[in-house]
Amino acid sequence: MTPLAAAANESLAEISNYLIYSSMAVYMLAFFAHIAEWTFGSRSKVGRTAAALTGAGAGASEDAASVPTLTAYGQGGDTAVLDRPKVTTRSAAGTRDVPDGPGAAGGTVQGDLYGRIAVSLTALAFLVEAAGVVARALSVQRAPWGNMYEFSITFSTVAVGAYLVLLALKKNVRWLGLILVTTVLLDLGIAVTWLYTDSDQLVPALHSYWLWIHVSTAIFCGAVFYIGAAGAVLYLFRDSYESQLEAGRTPGKFRTSVLERLPSAASLDKFSYRINAAVFPLWTFTIIAGAIWAGDAWGRYWGWDPKEVWSFVTWVAYACYLHARATAGWKGRKAAYLALFAFACWIWNYYGVNILLSGKHSYAGV
């Protein structure tokens, strides 16, 4: 490599670092906007809005005067839909028939405004971070997935991208925004603090088109599995909340304010299942592609390397989860625990195996 080319690559690496840090700053702004969305959509406003819309309770007319009127697109101009229609989910016989909550904004105009600002900032941060990943790829002139730092910044980019795609498809996932932005900031903080590695070329074994195929699908699967796991975690909280109400107990004000705005437990359970089921075939392909690449690089398709073992364990865990849902009728908390165990296996395969265990996948370093 000529000195001029080396200097150009070094400049691109610096630009990449600047863009990653810039994306973290924008994600931080999005984090505060999401906090504002939840704050201004608080329980008291949800209650006043519900009273105004239904006319229930004494003094409903006075409450209605203080609550903005919410109309639909195409009805009298360009007013946005803030109050979702009541959606009742019936996932199985004997389960609760509970409507989905109004979302983080709580059906209020001000909460919705901050929510839209948060989504816009998240989209901007996604574009900046994606540019940082591209700059990193140009600086090393290869796929930017040669070490844990590059994997981490790409992982968070794909996770946010998947969230934005679901929003663009009009899916009810804006409640995921605060959790997503928080974990993305955590992921990037770990990446730039402990996992950062200077731009460098790969060892000869990794110079293959399979790098683009195998690692890209692994990153995509992990990012989507994360969204499914987030849905499972929120399901557990919402199901506990619904169980308390069903038993006649009164949850705390903060707990009620947050959990009553989420989709119903049945909706979250179904969301997590559909996400995991959709990406599982691609995870199967990821393992097969890795085995083919191993055959080309090392002369064997399977060698019980720690990375290979835990990739297979993750596959088995998700396969058990999907099989239990399909045949044993597992829904609810047991299925959620199994889904979270499967994602924990994926996380261990990424952090634990890469950092604590040694094997043929260790040559890329941190």
Side-chain angles (χ1 to χ4, degrees):
M1 180 181 297
T2 65
L4 182 60
N9 290 344
E10 185 176 351
S11 297
L12 286 170
E14 292 177 357
I15 291 173
S16 173
N17 295 341
Y18 173 78
L19 289 172
I20 295 300
Y21 278 104
S22 298
S23 71
M24 292 176 67
V26 182
Y27 278 129
M28 184 61 70
L29 295 176
F31 170 80
F32 288 119
H34 277 297
I35 290 291
E37 178 186 17
W38 281 94
T39 299
F40 288 102
S42 62
R43 180 177 180 271
S44 58
K45 293 187 179 183
V46 174
R48 291 201 305 270
T49 302
L53 292 175
T54 60
S61 58
E62 287 82 3
D63 290 337
S66 63
V67 178
T69 302
L70 309 177
T71 57
Y73 284 113
Q75 297 179 2
D78 58 354
T79 307
V81 175
L82 299 182
D83 53 318
R84 293 183 176 276
K86 186 175 286 190
V87 178
T88 302
T89 56
R90 295 176 174 84
S91 57
T95 57
R96 310 180 195 96
D97 292 338
V98 180
D100 290 334
T108 65
V109 171
Q110 194 170 17
D112 183 74
L113 173 62
Y114 280 107
R116 293 175 185 273
I117 292 173
V119 171
S120 299
L121 288 171
T122 302
L124 176 60
F126 163 77
L127 294 175
V128 175
E129 186 182 9
V133 173
V134 172
R136 177 77 175 196
L138 294 175
S139 72
V140 292
Q141 299 179 358
R142 58 167 171 78
W145 311 314
N147 51 62
M148 289 184 68
Y149 169 75
E150 294 172 354
F151 194 103
S152 293
I153 61 175
T154 307
F155 170 85
S156 57
T157 303
V158 174
V160 176
Y163 166 72
L164 294 174
V165 167
L166 290 174
L167 283 177
L169 294 175
K170 307 299 183 182
K171 303 299 181 180
N172 178 21
V173 295
R174 209 165 84 182
W175 45 267
L176 183 60
L178 179 58
I179 296 176
L180 176 68
V181 169
T182 303
T183 49
V184 164
L185 283 169
L186 178 63
D187 172 74
L188 291 177
I190 293 173
V192 301
T193 304
W194 291 296
L195 302 180
Y196 181 78
T197 304
D198 290 331
S199 300
D200 200 1
Q201 294 304 311
L202 300 175
V203 296
L206 293 183
H207 284 287
S208 170
Y209 60 87
W210 284 106
L211 176 65
W212 292 91
I213 300 172
H214 171 63
V215 183
S216 64
T217 55
I219 293 172
F220 180 81
C221 288
V224 179
F225 280 147
Y226 159 76
I227 292 177
V233 169
L234 291 177
Y235 159 78
L236 292 173
F237 284 106
R238 173 75 189 206
D239 182 67
S240 175
Y241 168 74
E242 291 180 8
S243 297
Q244 283 188 292
L245 294 180
E246 194 174 35
R249 296 192 297 271
T250 303
K253 290 183 178 180
F254 177 78
R255 180 180 174 87
T256 298
S257 175
V258 173
L259 295 179
E260 73 179 355
R261 286 179 272 168
L262 292 176
S264 67
S267 292
L268 289 169
D269 182 47
K270 188 181 298 183
F271 170 80
S272 180
Y273 170 67
R274 288 178 175 176
I275 289 290
N276 290 325
V279 79
F280 179 74
L282 189 59
W283 182 247
T284 305
F285 170 78
T286 300
I287 296 177
I288 295 172
I292 296 173
W293 188 11
D296 291 343
W298 303 320
R300 94 291 188 277
Y301 293 101
W302 194 265
W304 299 104
D305 180 78
K307 178 70 70 173
E308 296 168 348
V309 170
W310 279 98
S311 295
F312 180 67
V313 170
T314 302
W315 184 91
V316 171
Y318 275 109
C320 289
Y321 163 73
L322 296 176
H323 179 74
R325 288 286 307 239
T327 60
W330 274 26
K331 292 179 175 65
R333 302 188 74 84
K334 291 187 294 183
Y337 289 135
L338 188 51
L340 291 176
F341 171 76
F343 184 67
C345 290
W346 191 93
I347 289 293
W348 166 257
N349 189 31
Y350 176 52
Y351 285 105
V353 171
N354 283 0
I355 296 174
L356 301 177
L357 303 180
S358 61
K360 282 186 171 294
H361 290 78
S362 303
Y363 45 59
V366 174

PDB file of all heavy atoms in Angstrom, residues 4 37 43 51 72-74 93 113 141 153 170 194 205 207 211 223 230 250 275 284 296 300 306 338 340 348 352 363:
ATOM      1  N   LEU A   4       0.299   7.339   0.285  1.00  0.00           N
ATOM      2  CA  LEU A   4      -0.887   8.162   0.049  1.00  0.00           C
ATOM      3  C   LEU A   4      -2.160   7.375   0.358  1.00  0.00           C
ATOM      4  O   LEU A   4      -3.097   7.884   0.996  1.00  0.00           O
ATOM      5  CB  LEU A   4      -0.900   8.651  -1.403  1.00  0.00           C
ATOM      6  CG  LEU A   4      -2.066   9.577  -1.787  1.00  0.00           C
ATOM      7  CD1 LEU A   4      -2.029  10.842  -0.926  1.00  0.00           C
ATOM      8  CD2 LEU A   4      -1.994   9.927  -3.270  1.00  0.00           C
ATOM      9  N   GLU A  37     -41.744  11.771  25.731  1.00  0.00           N
ATOM     10  CA  GLU A  37     -42.966  11.151  25.203  1.00  0.00           C
ATOM     11  C   GLU A  37     -43.686  10.370  26.296  1.00  0.00           C
ATOM     12  O   GLU A  37     -44.909  10.501  26.469  1.00  0.00           O
ATOM     13  CB  GLU A  37     -42.613  10.221  24.040  1.00  0.00           C
ATOM     14  CG  GLU A  37     -43.820   9.497  23.458  1.00  0.00           C
ATOM     15  CD  GLU A  37     -43.437   8.471  22.418  1.00  0.00           C
ATOM     16  OE1 GLU A  37     -42.258   8.075  22.363  1.00  0.00           O
ATOM     17  OE2 GLU A  37     -44.326   8.045  21.662  1.00  0.00           O
ATOM     18  N   ARG A  43     -50.059   8.732  33.092  1.00  0.00           N
ATOM     19  CA  ARG A  43     -51.322   8.077  33.421  1.00  0.00           C
ATOM     20  C   ARG A  43     -52.470   9.061  33.587  1.00  0.00           C
ATOM     21  O   ARG A  43     -53.596   8.806  33.164  1.00  0.00           O
ATOM     22  CB  ARG A  43     -51.139   7.263  34.702  1.00  0.00           C
ATOM     23  CG  ARG A  43     -52.401   6.535  35.150  1.00  0.00           C
ATOM     24  CD  ARG A  43     -52.130   5.692  36.385  1.00  0.00           C
ATOM     25  NE  ARG A  43     -53.336   4.989  36.808  1.00  0.00           N
ATOM     26  CZ  ARG A  43     -54.237   5.478  37.652  1.00  0.00           C
ATOM     27  NH1 ARG A  43     -54.067   6.682  38.149  1.00  0.00           N
ATOM     28  NH2 ARG A  43     -55.293   4.777  38.000  1.00  0.00           N
ATOM     29  N   ALA A  51     -61.587   9.502  29.618  1.00  0.00           N
ATOM     30  CA  ALA A  51     -62.860  10.028  30.118  1.00  0.00           C
ATOM     31  C   ALA A  51     -63.513  10.951  29.103  1.00  0.00           C
ATOM     32  O   ALA A  51     -64.729  10.936  28.909  1.00  0.00           O
ATOM     33  CB  ALA A  51     -62.628  10.756  31.435  1.00  0.00           C
ATOM     34  N   ALA A  72     -59.009  11.602  12.823  1.00  0.00           N
ATOM     35  CA  ALA A  72     -58.225  10.712  11.959  1.00  0.00           C
ATOM     36  C   ALA A  72     -57.765  11.431  10.707  1.00  0.00           C
ATOM     37  O   ALA A  72     -58.277  12.476  10.336  1.00  0.00           O
ATOM     38  CB  ALA A  72     -59.072   9.496  11.572  1.00  0.00           C
ATOM     39  N   TYR A  73     -56.769  10.820  10.017  1.00  0.00           N
ATOM     40  CA  TYR A  73     -56.334  11.323   8.729  1.00  0.00           C
ATOM     41  C   TYR A  73     -57.525  11.345   7.771  1.00  0.00           C
ATOM     42  O   TYR A  73     -58.339  10.415   7.737  1.00  0.00           O
ATOM     43  CB  TYR A  73     -55.255  10.413   8.142  1.00  0.00           C
ATOM     44  CG  TYR A  73     -53.907  10.563   8.766  1.00  0.00           C
ATOM     45  CD1 TYR A  73     -53.352   9.535   9.519  1.00  0.00           C
ATOM     46  CD2 TYR A  73     -53.187  11.742   8.609  1.00  0.00           C
ATOM     47  CE1 TYR A  73     -52.103   9.681  10.095  1.00  0.00           C
ATOM     48  CE2 TYR A  73     -51.936  11.880   9.184  1.00  0.00           C
ATOM     49  CZ  TYR A  73     -51.402  10.863   9.915  1.00  0.00           C
ATOM     50  OH  TYR A  73     -50.163  10.978  10.487  1.00  0.00           O
ATOM     51  N   GLY A  74     -57.592  12.392   6.987  1.00  0.00           N
ATOM     52  CA  GLY A  74     -58.635  12.472   5.982  1.00  0.00           C
ATOM     53  C   GLY A  74     -59.945  12.995   6.512  1.00  0.00           C
ATOM     54  O   GLY A  74     -60.904  13.103   5.777  1.00  0.00           O
ATOM     55  N   ALA A  93     -57.897 -20.054  23.817  1.00  0.00           N
ATOM     56  CA  ALA A  93     -59.056 -20.162  24.689  1.00  0.00           C
ATOM     57  C   ALA A  93     -58.633 -19.987  26.135  1.00  0.00           C
ATOM     58  O   ALA A  93     -57.645 -20.561  26.583  1.00  0.00           O
ATOM     59  CB  ALA A  93     -59.721 -21.524  24.486  1.00  0.00           C
ATOM     60  N   LEU A 113     -46.173  14.513  19.900  1.00  0.00           N
ATOM     61  CA  LEU A 113     -45.178  15.400  19.288  1.00  0.00           C
ATOM     62  C   LEU A 113     -43.770  14.985  19.690  1.00  0.00           C
ATOM     63  O   LEU A 113     -42.885  14.861  18.835  1.00  0.00           O
ATOM     64  CB  LEU A 113     -45.452  16.841  19.710  1.00  0.00           C
ATOM     65  CG  LEU A 113     -44.393  17.877  19.288  1.00  0.00           C
ATOM     66  CD1 LEU A 113     -44.291  17.954  17.761  1.00  0.00           C
ATOM     67  CD2 LEU A 113     -44.708  19.242  19.879  1.00  0.00           C
ATOM     68  N   GLN A 141     -11.137  -1.364   3.360  1.00  0.00           N
ATOM     69  CA  GLN A 141     -11.367  -1.943   2.030  1.00  0.00           C
ATOM     70  C   GLN A 141     -11.826  -3.395   2.118  1.00  0.00           C
ATOM     71  O   GLN A 141     -11.328  -4.275   1.416  1.00  0.00           O
ATOM     72  CB  GLN A 141     -10.111  -1.813   1.172  1.00  0.00           C
ATOM     73  CG  GLN A 141      -9.686  -0.372   0.949  1.00  0.00           C
ATOM     74  CD  GLN A 141      -8.432  -0.239   0.116  1.00  0.00           C
ATOM     75  OE1 GLN A 141      -7.813  -1.224  -0.288  1.00  0.00           O
ATOM     76  NE2 GLN A 141      -8.045   1.001  -0.161  1.00  0.00           N
ATOM     77  N   ILE A 153     -20.870  -2.086  16.143  1.00  0.00           N
ATOM     78  CA  ILE A 153     -21.462  -0.893  15.549  1.00  0.00           C
ATOM     79  C   ILE A 153     -22.415  -1.266  14.412  1.00  0.00           C
ATOM     80  O   ILE A 153     -23.422  -0.587  14.191  1.00  0.00           O
ATOM     81  CB  ILE A 153     -20.371   0.093  15.055  1.00  0.00           C
ATOM     82  CG1 ILE A 153     -19.490  -0.536  13.967  1.00  0.00           C
ATOM     83  CG2 ILE A 153     -19.524   0.577  16.216  1.00  0.00           C
ATOM     84  CD1 ILE A 153     -18.481   0.434  13.363  1.00  0.00           C
ATOM     85  N   LYS A 170     -46.045   0.610   9.310  1.00  0.00           N
ATOM     86  CA  LYS A 170     -47.213   0.952  10.128  1.00  0.00           C
ATOM     87  C   LYS A 170     -47.477  -0.057  11.238  1.00  0.00           C
ATOM     88  O   LYS A 170     -48.626  -0.231  11.674  1.00  0.00           O
ATOM     89  CB  LYS A 170     -48.477   1.095   9.248  1.00  0.00           C
ATOM     90  CG  LYS A 170     -48.329   2.031   8.076  1.00  0.00           C
ATOM     91  CD  LYS A 170     -48.006   3.438   8.509  1.00  0.00           C
ATOM     92  CE  LYS A 170     -47.931   4.390   7.308  1.00  0.00           C
ATOM     93  NZ  LYS A 170     -47.560   5.762   7.696  1.00  0.00           N
ATOM     94  N   TRP A 194     -14.283  -0.313  25.264  1.00  0.00           N
ATOM     95  CA  TRP A 194     -13.535  -1.539  25.546  1.00  0.00           C
ATOM     96  C   TRP A 194     -13.240  -2.395  24.310  1.00  0.00           C
ATOM     97  O   TRP A 194     -12.307  -3.197  24.346  1.00  0.00           O
ATOM     98  CB  TRP A 194     -14.301  -2.396  26.553  1.00  0.00           C
ATOM     99  CG  TRP A 194     -14.340  -1.793  27.929  1.00  0.00           C
ATOM    100  CD1 TRP A 194     -13.280  -1.559  28.762  1.00  0.00           C
ATOM    101  CD2 TRP A 194     -15.496  -1.334  28.625  1.00  0.00           C
ATOM    102  NE1 TRP A 194     -13.684  -0.991  29.928  1.00  0.00           N
ATOM    103  CE2 TRP A 194     -15.057  -0.837  29.890  1.00  0.00           C
ATOM    104  CE3 TRP A 194     -16.855  -1.298  28.339  1.00  0.00           C
ATOM    105  CZ2 TRP A 194     -15.930  -0.315  30.832  1.00  0.00           C
ATOM    106  CZ3 TRP A 194     -17.720  -0.769  29.277  1.00  0.00           C
ATOM    107  CH2 TRP A 194     -17.264  -0.288  30.501  1.00  0.00           C
ATOM    108  N   ALA A 205      -7.327 -16.416   6.111  1.00  0.00           N
ATOM    109  CA  ALA A 205      -8.482 -17.323   6.144  1.00  0.00           C
ATOM    110  C   ALA A 205      -9.804 -16.593   5.991  1.00  0.00           C
ATOM    111  O   ALA A 205     -10.803 -17.178   5.553  1.00  0.00           O
ATOM    112  CB  ALA A 205      -8.473 -18.116   7.449  1.00  0.00           C
ATOM    113  N   HIS A 207     -10.321 -13.890   4.081  1.00  0.00           N
ATOM    114  CA  HIS A 207     -10.464 -13.237   2.785  1.00  0.00           C
ATOM    115  C   HIS A 207     -11.313 -14.127   1.882  1.00  0.00           C
ATOM    116  O   HIS A 207     -10.809 -14.919   1.081  1.00  0.00           O
ATOM    117  CB  HIS A 207      -9.094 -12.965   2.164  1.00  0.00           C
ATOM    118  CG  HIS A 207      -8.377 -11.809   2.789  1.00  0.00           C
ATOM    119  ND1 HIS A 207      -8.732 -10.500   2.585  1.00  0.00           N
ATOM    120  CD2 HIS A 207      -7.329 -11.767   3.645  1.00  0.00           C
ATOM    121  CE1 HIS A 207      -7.945  -9.690   3.269  1.00  0.00           C
ATOM    122  NE2 HIS A 207      -7.070 -10.439   3.929  1.00  0.00           N
ATOM    123  N   LEU A 211     -17.412 -14.086   4.003  1.00  0.00           N
ATOM    124  CA  LEU A 211     -17.456 -13.069   5.058  1.00  0.00           C
ATOM    125  C   LEU A 211     -18.686 -12.189   4.894  1.00  0.00           C
ATOM    126  O   LEU A 211     -19.367 -11.854   5.872  1.00  0.00           O
ATOM    127  CB  LEU A 211     -16.179 -12.225   5.016  1.00  0.00           C
ATOM    128  CG  LEU A 211     -16.114 -11.043   6.002  1.00  0.00           C
ATOM    129  CD1 LEU A 211     -16.100 -11.535   7.436  1.00  0.00           C
ATOM    130  CD2 LEU A 211     -14.884 -10.176   5.730  1.00  0.00           C
ATOM    131  N   ALA A 223     -29.685  -8.927  15.581  1.00  0.00           N
ATOM    132  CA  ALA A 223     -30.422  -7.679  15.749  1.00  0.00           C
ATOM    133  C   ALA A 223     -31.927  -7.937  15.850  1.00  0.00           C
ATOM    134  O   ALA A 223     -32.621  -7.341  16.690  1.00  0.00           O
ATOM    135  CB  ALA A 223     -30.116  -6.728  14.600  1.00  0.00           C
ATOM    136  N   ALA A 230     -36.760  -8.171  23.414  1.00  0.00           N
ATOM    137  CA  ALA A 230     -37.332  -6.988  24.060  1.00  0.00           C
ATOM    138  C   ALA A 230     -38.842  -7.141  24.206  1.00  0.00           C
ATOM    139  O   ALA A 230     -39.423  -6.787  25.244  1.00  0.00           O
ATOM    140  CB  ALA A 230     -36.992  -5.733  23.259  1.00  0.00           C
ATOM    141  N   THR A 250     -54.226  -3.417  43.194  1.00  0.00           N
ATOM    142  CA  THR A 250     -53.955  -2.143  42.541  1.00  0.00           C
ATOM    143  C   THR A 250     -52.450  -1.922  42.431  1.00  0.00           C
ATOM    144  O   THR A 250     -51.782  -1.735  43.455  1.00  0.00           O
ATOM    145  CB  THR A 250     -54.576  -0.973  43.338  1.00  0.00           C
ATOM    146  OG1 THR A 250     -55.984  -1.200  43.474  1.00  0.00           O
ATOM    147  CG2 THR A 250     -54.336   0.344  42.617  1.00  0.00           C
ATOM    148  N   ILE A 275     -41.656 -12.476  15.464  1.00  0.00           N
ATOM    149  CA  ILE A 275     -40.315 -11.977  15.147  1.00  0.00           C
ATOM    150  C   ILE A 275     -39.307 -13.127  15.160  1.00  0.00           C
ATOM    151  O   ILE A 275     -38.514 -13.300  14.225  1.00  0.00           O
ATOM    152  CB  ILE A 275     -39.900 -10.893  16.153  1.00  0.00           C
ATOM    153  CG1 ILE A 275     -40.698  -9.602  15.923  1.00  0.00           C
ATOM    154  CG2 ILE A 275     -38.402 -10.615  16.066  1.00  0.00           C
ATOM    155  CD1 ILE A 275     -40.336  -8.862  14.658  1.00  0.00           C
ATOM    156  N   THR A 284     -30.644 -20.539  10.743  1.00  0.00           N
ATOM    157  CA  THR A 284     -30.264 -21.866  10.252  1.00  0.00           C
ATOM    158  C   THR A 284     -29.315 -21.743   9.068  1.00  0.00           C
ATOM    159  O   THR A 284     -28.288 -22.435   9.001  1.00  0.00           O
ATOM    160  CB  THR A 284     -31.520 -22.650   9.838  1.00  0.00           C
ATOM    161  OG1 THR A 284     -32.444 -22.695  10.937  1.00  0.00           O
ATOM    162  CG2 THR A 284     -31.171 -24.067   9.409  1.00  0.00           C
ATOM    163  N   ASP A 296     -14.007 -24.486   3.449  1.00  0.00           N
ATOM    164  CA  ASP A 296     -13.091 -23.833   2.519  1.00  0.00           C
ATOM    165  C   ASP A 296     -11.829 -23.336   3.219  1.00  0.00           C
ATOM    166  O   ASP A 296     -10.721 -23.443   2.674  1.00  0.00           O
ATOM    167  CB  ASP A 296     -13.789 -22.648   1.835  1.00  0.00           C
ATOM    168  CG  ASP A 296     -14.873 -23.094   0.870  1.00  0.00           C
ATOM    169  OD1 ASP A 296     -14.871 -24.282   0.491  1.00  0.00           O
ATOM    170  OD2 ASP A 296     -15.727 -22.261   0.505  1.00  0.00           O
ATOM    171  N   ARG A 300     -12.393 -28.511   7.115  1.00  0.00           N
ATOM    172  CA  ARG A 300     -13.413 -29.303   7.813  1.00  0.00           C
ATOM    173  C   ARG A 300     -14.630 -28.426   8.019  1.00  0.00           C
ATOM    174  O   ARG A 300     -14.551 -27.234   8.223  1.00  0.00           O
ATOM    175  CB  ARG A 300     -12.857 -29.882   9.118  1.00  0.00           C
ATOM    176  CG  ARG A 300     -13.072 -29.127  10.410  1.00  0.00           C
ATOM    177  CD  ARG A 300     -12.316 -27.826  10.552  1.00  0.00           C
ATOM    178  NE  ARG A 300     -12.405 -27.220  11.879  1.00  0.00           N
ATOM    179  CZ  ARG A 300     -13.400 -26.457  12.317  1.00  0.00           C
ATOM    180  NH1 ARG A 300     -14.442 -26.245  11.581  1.00  0.00           N
ATOM    181  NH2 ARG A 300     -13.343 -25.899  13.514  1.00  0.00           N
ATOM    182  N   PRO A 306     -15.595 -23.534  20.082  1.00  0.00           N
ATOM    183  CA  PRO A 306     -16.578 -22.906  20.992  1.00  0.00           C
ATOM    184  C   PRO A 306     -17.626 -22.060  20.269  1.00  0.00           C
ATOM    185  O   PRO A 306     -18.811 -22.089  20.635  1.00  0.00           O
ATOM    186  CB  PRO A 306     -15.696 -22.057  21.912  1.00  0.00           C
ATOM    187  CG  PRO A 306     -14.393 -22.779  21.956  1.00  0.00           C
ATOM    188  CD  PRO A 306     -14.217 -23.355  20.576  1.00  0.00           C
ATOM    189  N   LEU A 338     -38.283 -19.127  27.748  1.00  0.00           N
ATOM    190  CA  LEU A 338     -37.485 -19.922  26.810  1.00  0.00           C
ATOM    191  C   LEU A 338     -36.892 -19.040  25.718  1.00  0.00           C
ATOM    192  O   LEU A 338     -35.733 -19.209  25.314  1.00  0.00           O
ATOM    193  CB  LEU A 338     -38.351 -21.026  26.200  1.00  0.00           C
ATOM    194  CG  LEU A 338     -37.638 -22.071  25.333  1.00  0.00           C
ATOM    195  CD1 LEU A 338     -36.436 -22.657  26.061  1.00  0.00           C
ATOM    196  CD2 LEU A 338     -38.621 -23.174  24.937  1.00  0.00           C
ATOM    197  N   LEU A 340     -36.121 -15.863  26.029  1.00  0.00           N
ATOM    198  CA  LEU A 340     -35.047 -15.077  26.629  1.00  0.00           C
ATOM    199  C   LEU A 340     -33.808 -15.929  26.885  1.00  0.00           C
ATOM    200  O   LEU A 340     -32.677 -15.451  26.757  1.00  0.00           O
ATOM    201  CB  LEU A 340     -35.538 -14.452  27.935  1.00  0.00           C
ATOM    202  CG  LEU A 340     -36.594 -13.360  27.768  1.00  0.00           C
ATOM    203  CD1 LEU A 340     -37.077 -12.866  29.126  1.00  0.00           C
ATOM    204  CD2 LEU A 340     -36.045 -12.192  26.957  1.00  0.00           C
ATOM    205  N   TRP A 348     -24.185 -14.698  24.927  1.00  0.00           N
ATOM    206  CA  TRP A 348     -22.997 -15.381  25.427  1.00  0.00           C
ATOM    207  C   TRP A 348     -22.080 -15.792  24.274  1.00  0.00           C
ATOM    208  O   TRP A 348     -20.859 -15.687  24.377  1.00  0.00           O
ATOM    209  CB  TRP A 348     -23.393 -16.600  26.251  1.00  0.00           C
ATOM    210  CG  TRP A 348     -22.240 -17.527  26.512  1.00  0.00           C
ATOM    211  CD1 TRP A 348     -21.975 -18.717  25.900  1.00  0.00           C
ATOM    212  CD2 TRP A 348     -21.178 -17.320  27.447  1.00  0.00           C
ATOM    213  NE1 TRP A 348     -20.816 -19.268  26.387  1.00  0.00           N
ATOM    214  CE2 TRP A 348     -20.303 -18.430  27.343  1.00  0.00           C
ATOM    215  CE3 TRP A 348     -20.880 -16.312  28.364  1.00  0.00           C
ATOM    216  CZ2 TRP A 348     -19.165 -18.552  28.112  1.00  0.00           C
ATOM    217  CZ3 TRP A 348     -19.730 -16.437  29.133  1.00  0.00           C
ATOM    218  CH2 TRP A 348     -18.887 -17.542  29.005  1.00  0.00           C
ATOM    219  N   GLY A 352     -19.253 -13.671  25.590  1.00  0.00           N
ATOM    220  CA  GLY A 352     -18.544 -14.642  26.406  1.00  0.00           C
ATOM    221  C   GLY A 352     -17.557 -15.486  25.631  1.00  0.00           C
ATOM    222  O   GLY A 352     -16.385 -15.619  26.023  1.00  0.00           O
ATOM    223  N   TYR A 363      -8.862 -15.448  16.204  1.00  0.00           N
ATOM    224  CA  TYR A 363      -7.767 -14.724  15.585  1.00  0.00           C
ATOM    225  C   TYR A 363      -8.103 -13.284  15.225  1.00  0.00           C
ATOM    226  O   TYR A 363      -7.228 -12.473  15.005  1.00  0.00           O
ATOM    227  CB  TYR A 363      -7.275 -15.449  14.326  1.00  0.00           C
ATOM    228  CG  TYR A 363      -8.350 -15.947  13.408  1.00  0.00           C
ATOM    229  CD1 TYR A 363      -9.266 -15.077  12.836  1.00  0.00           C
ATOM    230  CD2 TYR A 363      -8.463 -17.296  13.124  1.00  0.00           C
ATOM    231  CE1 TYR A 363     -10.249 -15.536  12.004  1.00  0.00           C
ATOM    232  CE2 TYR A 363      -9.436 -17.764  12.284  1.00  0.00           C
ATOM    233  CZ  TYR A 363     -10.335 -16.890  11.728  1.00  0.00           C
ATOM    234  OH  TYR A 363     -11.317 -17.355  10.894  1.00  0.00           O
TER     235      TYR A 363
END
